[in-house]
Structure formats: structure tokens, C-alpha cells
Amino acid sequence: MTPQRVTLITLGVADLSRSRAFYETLGWQPSLALEEVVFYQIHGAVLGLFGKSALAKDQGRPGVELGTGAMTLAQNFTTEPEVDTAWAAAVHAGATPLKKPEKAFWGGYSGYYADPDGHVWEVAMNPFWSLAEDGSLTLPEAE
Amino acid sequence: MTPQRVTLITLGVADLSRSRAFYETLGWQPSLALEEVVFYQIHGAVLGLFGKSALAKDQGRPGVELGTGAMTLAQNFTTEPEVDTAWAAAVHAGATPLKKPEKAFWGGYSGYYADPDGHVWEVAMNPFWSLAEDGSLTLPEAE
């Protein structure tokens, strides 16, 4: 049995300085910044930036060109204006707009952008999912 | 300013039943399973599985073939045998082995595998990073 957890998300990046500047413009402060890797504390877990070719090597497949896209990292908010603000801040920081925040068919409000390496972020408000005060998300009990 | 948080990780998958069976074999139980999407509670956040083409559409780029790879989702453990067990369980469940767990140059122990869609998971023990009892990870204070 494998625990249901993710303790570290590592994004492979082409240019660590460029990516670090992007996340810094969003207001993110690293807890640990080394020459080849940067770590950000998120609630209960860590997000790291790591050179793409170094990541491929670390993954046991040196030389492989790693792709991106079939994954979304989402940030949930409690109001639509917060979603708009977060999306605008990212685009201002140089993100590629994918979808301007809009009403979603599932009853929420959601937008998408891609970071400098094509990593996809969603910013969303889901009226059925409440955030705790620390920003963490626990699914509602099944009915 | 954008909060330093990830509340939802969504993996795009080619075959939802196949992926759900894979994670179920690892012992993961969904909190919410709909026809087109499955959600797993992880500590303080949620991991979802969602059809790859539906995800591309939701991301605002319908028809685009999404890639994977330049990202690792890691599970940290406190001992090497736990890492070995988790890696073996995944391979037994049908994961593609990328790197059998081994001593890492940074002082820990780490292995990699890919899930049925190529999403890369790392299983690791980092002697410098302690896990809380609930499995969450908080970076040590900078010295």
C-alpha cells in the first residue's frame, strides 16, 4: 500500500533564473535556493524547480527531451475577483495566457495560464469546495 | 501576490478506468468518482485524474496533444525499505520502472517510476527532511 500523498512536486525548467524570477514576481519566496535547485514551501509539501536535463538524468533517462502539459497544478480561491487577480498577476509576470477566467460548466469559475516552461496552472473558485484558513483543501464528505 | 500553494493536482490520462485501477492497486481510494473525473484526498490538497483530451479542452487548447515528463510528483518516506516497498508495489501494479531505488549523491535514497500515462513519480528518503506524523513535509528552517 502506498500512502495517498504528494510531498514534493518538482518542475523541470529550461532556465532556473528565468523561472525563479517568474515565481518571485508572483510573490513566491524560496525556503532554499541552491545553484541547481530552488525549493518553495507550500502547505504540507514542497514545490521545487530543477533544470530539465538534470531532472531527466535524475529520473533515470538522461538525454530524453521531457514534455509538459498533461497535468495542471491548481490554486483554489474563495472568490471570483481573487481568481481574476491571480490570473492577471501571472500574465503580468510573463505567463502565457491559455484561458481567461470564466464561468465553468461545473458551477465554478476558472482560468489557465502556462509558466515559462509550459507548466500549466489553473486558478479557480469552486463554490462546492471550501478552503481552510491555511489555504488547504479537504474534499467534502461523500453524501 | 499569489499564495504559495497547490490545492489540486490534475493528471491527464488516456483511459480513466486503467488509471483508476492502477492507483487502486497501490491502495488509493477515491473520495469522489464521477464518470469523467476521479478525486483522491491527499493531505491538505487533492489529486485528480481527468481524461487527457477533456483536460486539453478545459485548459483552453482543445485538440492539443498534451505531453508529460518534465515534472515529478514525489512521495517521501522515512526509511529505505519503505522506498523499496513503494517502488516494488508500483511496478507490480504495472508502472514502468525508470530507476530502481538507489543511494543518491545528495545523501538520500531515491527511485522513479512512470504511471500508465507517463506521469513520473519519485519515491525517496531524504535524511535531512523529516515528515510529520500526518505525512506532510515542512522544509527545515534555513541555517
Side-chain angles (χ1 to χ4, degrees), chain A residues 23-114:
Chain A
Y23 288 97
E24 192 172 313
T25 306
L26 295 186
W28 286 38
Q29 296 297 328
S31 291
L32 184 62
L34 306 172
E35 201 177 325
E36 295 194 334
V37 64
V38 179
F39 293 112
Y40 300 89
Q41 180 68 51
I42 55 178
H43 56 82
V46 173
L47 186 138
L49 306 178
F50 190 37
K52 217 165 151 177
S53 60
L55 180 61
K57 195 176 164 196
D58 200 53
Q59 288 179 349
R61 40 187 183 173
V64 165
E65 181 65 32
L66 303 179
T68 60
M71 194 236 6
T72 298
L73 298 176
Q75 296 192 310
N76 281 69
F77 296 89
T78 52
T79 67
E80 295 187 9
E82 285 173 289
V83 173
D84 289 332
T85 301
W87 191 84
V91 172
H92 179 75
T96 302
L98 294 176
K99 185 161 85 176
K100 200 168 184 239
E102 61 181 36
K103 298 273 185 198
F105 73 93
W106 43 268
Y109 186 74
S110 151
Y112 281 98
Y113 64 82

Side-chain angles (χ1 to χ4, degrees), chain B residues 2-142:
Chain B
T2 304
Q4 282 186 210
R5 71 179 175 226
V6 173
T7 38
L8 174 64
I9 301 166
T10 302
L11 303 181
V13 303
D15 179 337
L16 191 59
S17 307
R18 178 183 69 170
S19 297
R20 194 177 157 177
F22 173 76
Y23 288 97
E24 192 172 313
T25 307
L26 294 185
W28 286 40
Q29 295 297 326
S31 291
L32 184 62
L34 305 173
E35 202 177 324
E36 296 194 334
V37 64
V38 179
F39 293 112
Y40 300 89
Q41 181 68 52
I42 55 178
H43 57 83
V46 173
L47 186 138
L49 305 178
F50 190 37
K52 217 165 152 177
S53 60
L55 181 61
K57 195 176 162 195
D58 200 53
Q59 288 179 349
R61 41 186 183 173
V64 165
E65 182 65 32
L66 303 179
T68 60
M71 196 237 5
T72 298
L73 298 176
Q75 296 192 311
N76 282 69
F77 296 89
T78 52
T79 66
E80 295 187 10
E82 286 173 290
V83 173
D84 288 332
T85 300
W87 191 84
V91 172
H92 179 74
T96 303
L98 295 175
K99 185 162 82 175
K100 198 165 185 238
E102 61 180 36
K103 298 273 185 199
F105 72 94
W106 44 267
Y109 186 75
S110 151
Y112 281 98
Y113 63 83
D115 89 351
D117 289 279
H119 296 294
V120 180
W121 287 86
E122 182 184 18
V123 285
M125 185 281 291
N126 183 332
F128 311 108
W129 287 2
S130 314
L131 291 178
E133 272 197 26
D134 67 356
S136 65
L137 173 61
T138 301
L139 288 169
E141 295 286 328

